[in-house]
Amino acid sequence: MPHSLTLLPGDGIGPEVTEATVQVIEAADVDVTWDRHRIIGKTAVERGRPALPPDIIDSIQSTGVALKGPVTTPVGQGFTSVNVQLRQRLDLYSNVRPCSILPGLKTPFEGTDLIIFRENTEGLYSGIEHYDERLQIADSIARVTKRGSERIIRFCFEYAQQRGRDHVTLAHKANILKKSSGLFLDVGREVAAEYPEITFDDRIIDALCMDLVMHPDRYDCIVSTNLFGDILSDLAAGLVGGLGVTAGANIGDEYAVFEAVHGSAPDIAGQNIANPTALIQSAVMMLRHLDETAAANAIENSLRALYQEGAPLTPDVGGEASTSEFADALADRVADRVAA
Ligand code: NAI
Ligand code: MG
């Protein structure tokens, strides 16, 4: 089936990993027409345009699905994160980040197989911020709503059920944040009661972070509010080989944007050494979302075989290959698998 999809290469390592991912998708013989938008974030602002140009929103509203590279967000001042804007404008309330260890990758955290579900539109990232110049007081409001909590928690349980997962942990800080985290926990308990076949527990976020490093194999699906989910997913990425391998998806009722957990990695941008695996695994999630199961399987199995063999891999996972060498090797395997 032909697909028309939005492609946002982003900046930093974004264009390098996006190009590699498109190459691999094309090798899987998926019929895609890409609506490419390169001007976003800093490149848009430099041209006097909004950081998130309206034509990007229009494109995703028409295609329904985007594949996105990372976009740099200035620290402390400057424009509001394009990523946060995109998630809020398109109401992409579920951020799904699977973290399992690729075959052959050595990490001290054997048995890790987690899916982090992060509420993606509210909480501390609501954008309700205020600075009182006179009093020199800064406020960032963590707005948690019953509706917002219910839909991400329900999404997590539904996703778990569809994939035969049997345990959900809710991460919170309801001992201190009695209102916002307290509401999220109350709603979690209510929703969990509707899924008796899935066991449910809750953990206070700081103790959970410690326990995830000590006993990652004890966890399955973890659902949390925006800030905790953001931090937890980078922590979980570290358990399974780093940001170079960890996929993500932003999913709402109408639209979906697939992107890696990692950022624009300015420290390695332009050097052709970034690992495109994270975005390629995000593309696998995208292909499943589009019911392109055969292509998704071909890419996933080729990727696993390549990691199992241990080469060619990029430096972040202990190899010596460049981004393009890795992409070429993977694309060849995918094409062979599709032709077979
Ligand atoms: P980062 O994720 O870009 O980098 C953290 C570390 O991981 C760096 O050492 C980097 O080299 C390494 N790394 C990340 N991705 C890699 C890959 N694919 N292959 C090999 N190594 C990789 O996080 P950082 O440095 O905190 O953020 C940089 C910028 O990215 C910031 O402006 C931030 O706001 C933005 N960002 C954007 C996101 C998005 O567009 N979804 C998500 C996270 C951050
Ligand atoms: Mg993050």
Side-chain angles (χ1 to χ4, degrees):
M1 202 189 125
H3 302 281
S4 173
L5 306 175
T6 305
L7 186 69
L8 308 173
D11 56 35
I13 60 170
E16 300 165 60
V17 294
T18 307
E19 196 184 314
T21 304
V22 167
Q23 183 187 347
V24 170
I25 294 173
E26 282 171 1
D29 209 17
V30 190
D31 185 358
V32 180
T33 310
W34 298 104
D35 183 23
R36 281 174 208 259
H37 292 261
R38 292 192 178 82
I39 309 300
I40 187 170
K42 187 164 162 278
T43 51
V45 172
E46 281 166 359
R47 287 169 170 77
R49 304 192 57 198
L52 181 57
D55 51 298
I56 291 182
I57 295 289
D58 292 346
S59 172
I60 302 173
Q61 282 174 339
S62 121
T63 62
V65 173
L67 182 66
K68 174 183 168 296
V71 178
T72 303
T73 308
V75 175
Q77 21 72 38
F79 59 85
T80 308
S81 162
V82 165
N83 310 305
V84 172
Q85 285 190 60
L86 206 53
R87 294 162 188 171
Q88 290 178 345
R89 294 274 297 279
L90 297 170
D91 205 19
L92 306 170
Y93 61 86
S94 304
N95 190 320
V96 186
R97 297 175 158 184
C99 297
S100 58
I101 302 172
L102 280 160
L105 261 195
K106 291 274 167 286
T107 103
F109 305 102
E110 264 175 46
T112 306
D113 182 13
L114 300 167
I115 311 178
I116 311 286
F117 296 84
R118 159 187 175 192
E119 199 294 319
N120 220 9
T121 55
E122 50 180 47
L124 249 184
Y125 297 4
S126 297
I128 312 170
E129 294 203 296
H130 177 249
Y131 183 62
D132 187 317
E133 291 281 356
R134 192 176 60 82
L135 298 175
Q136 300 191 312
I137 294 174
D139 293 312
S140 300
I141 307 295
R143 172 158 296 166
V144 173
T145 66
K146 181 158 191 205
R147 170 178 172 268
S149 304
E150 193 175 329
R151 61 184 187 169
I152 177 65
I153 296 166
R154 197 174 292 286
F155 185 96
C156 166
F157 274 93
E158 287 292 321
Y159 198 98
Q161 197 172 49
Q162 280 160 23
R163 283 159 186 79
R165 297 276 184 155
D166 58 9
H167 189 69
V168 170
T169 302
L170 181 146
H172 64 87
K173 189 79 190 182
N175 51 332
I176 309 293
L177 307 172
K178 292 184 196 294
K179 298 293 179 208
S180 55
S181 240
L183 175 61
F184 195 75
L185 177 57
D186 286 346
V187 174
R189 288 179 173 146
E190 276 172 38
V191 174
E194 296 173 32
Y195 296 84
E197 66 290 358
I198 298 174
T199 52
F200 174 76
D201 61 4
D202 66 273
R203 289 275 182 284
I204 293 179
I205 183 68
D206 41 354
L208 173 64
C209 287
M210 188 275 303
D211 206 34
L212 267 176
V213 176
M214 303 280 286
H215 306 291
D217 53 318
R218 291 186 186 168
Y219 295 89
D220 183 359
C221 298
I222 302 178
V223 63
S224 200
T225 43
N226 209 336
L227 172 70
F228 295 157
D230 190 7
I231 298 170
L232 274 177
S233 44
D234 275 36
L235 188 157
L239 302 175
V240 300
L243 287 168
V245 296
T246 317
N250 304 286
I251 302 176
D253 292 332
E254 288 177 88
Y255 314 111
V257 174
F258 295 83
E259 65 178 335
V261 173
H262 66 72
S264 55
D267 53 334
I268 58 165
Q271 297 174 38
N272 195 23
I273 55 167
N275 191 348
T277 302
L279 191 61
I280 292 167
Q281 299 219 81
S282 310
V284 169
M285 295 176 81
M286 179 184 81
L287 292 170
R288 294 203 192 289
H289 178 87
L290 297 168
D291 286 327
E292 290 285 354
T293 312
N297 288 344
I299 297 174
E300 189 166 65
N301 292 332
S302 305
L303 194 63
R304 294 174 74 85
L306 205 148
Y307 270 82
Q308 184 75 64
E309 284 161 39
L313 298 180
T314 49
D316 59 304
V317 285
E320 290 171 4
S322 65
T323 309
S324 41
E325 282 163 353
F326 174 83
D328 289 345
L330 181 60
D332 283 349
R333 276 156 207 257
V334 171
D336 287 349
R337 221 173 255 268
V338 169

